Amino acid sequence: MSNIDSLTGVKNRNSMNTRVEWNTNGLMPVHLPYGIIFADLNGLKICNDTKGHKAGDELLKKAAALLKEIFNEDEIYRSGGDEFVIISTECSKDDFEIKIEELRKKASYGNEVCFAFGSRWTDTEEDLRESMQLADEAMYEDKRKYYESHPEFKTRHE
């Protein structure tokens, strides 16, 4: 129970941190090649503020279900309130990019679930934490572009 997010059914932050630690100390390495995705759910705060937290919870469940549909063989974590991390191990670059494109089609502006996301794929001995940092930075750049294109949805000052 302590490794599963009770709302969404995906693994939680505790589980993700343990996974990263196990990779670092060699107990359970992430096998090459691999891809990392950081996906931040756009619009959760507005949903909570205008429709209530029950509607926000439903949006989070739909977001997790979409990620499970696309990344069904991969490790999916809810790392925070509206943020998810996916570790896709032993995947080719082509297969990873197909999943990214599917995510882009199904979770872009105008869809019920809309993510800002960043990704990193590697087939080198790049450190997992470094890959995660690069994917996170790419996600924040995507989020910046989203709010630049849709300022009406920006609810906090950055």
Side-chain angles (χ1 to χ4, degrees):
M1 248 345 221
S2 66
N3 289 312
I4 301 296
D5 177 62
S6 61
L7 179 66
T8 63
V10 299
K11 296 175 184 177
N12 64 19
R13 183 179 193 86
N14 179 52
S15 182
M16 182 183 73
N17 290 340
T18 300
R19 178 66 169 104
V20 171
E21 183 181 320
W22 285 355
N23 176 75
T24 301
N25 64 26
L27 285 174
M28 191 175 159
V30 172
H31 297 288
L32 294 171
Y34 67 84
I36 304 289
I37 297 164
F38 270 69
D40 191 271
L41 185 58
N42 291 323
L44 180 63
K45 180 169 179 8
I46 289 172
C47 182
N48 281 334
D49 290 349
T50 61
K51 298 178 182 175
H53 287 277
K54 186 175 181 177
D57 287 351
E58 289 304 313
L59 183 58
L60 283 164
K61 289 177 191 178
K62 288 176 184 176
L66 178 62
L67 293 175
K68 287 186 233 181
E69 174 189 323
I70 297 170
F71 301 96
N72 61 337
E73 308 253 332
D74 300 314
E75 301 171 28
I76 304 170
Y77 302 90
R78 182 176 174 206
S79 61
D82 60 356
E83 192 166 285
F84 296 84
V85 175
I86 298 104
I87 301 175
S88 184
T89 63
E90 298 181 86
C91 67
S92 71
K93 187 170 188 171
D94 288 342
D95 288 343
F96 187 65
E97 288 177 359
I98 288 168
K99 289 178 182 181
I100 294 289
E101 189 55 36
E102 187 176 356
L103 179 62
R104 189 173 270 102
K105 285 179 186 174
K106 292 183 175 181
S108 61
Y109 178 72
N111 290 307
E112 184 176 19
V113 173
C114 178
F115 283 114
F117 67 91
S119 63
R120 177 70 176 181
W121 181 88
T122 186
D123 61 356
T124 69
E125 293 296 322
E126 181 174 275
D127 179 71
L128 178 62
R129 285 188 171 109
E130 181 181 348
S131 293
M132 292 176 80
Q133 177 65 35
L134 292 169
D136 190 40
E137 289 171 6
M139 183 271 298
Y140 276 104
E141 177 61 18
D142 192 43
K143 191 128 188 122
R144 185 192 64 74
K145 288 178 184 175
Y146 172 81
Y147 284 119
E148 193 174 89
S149 298
H150 307 286
E152 67 274 20
F153 297 126
K154 189 168 184 175
T155 59
R156 57 182 168 220
H157 300 288
E158 297 180 37

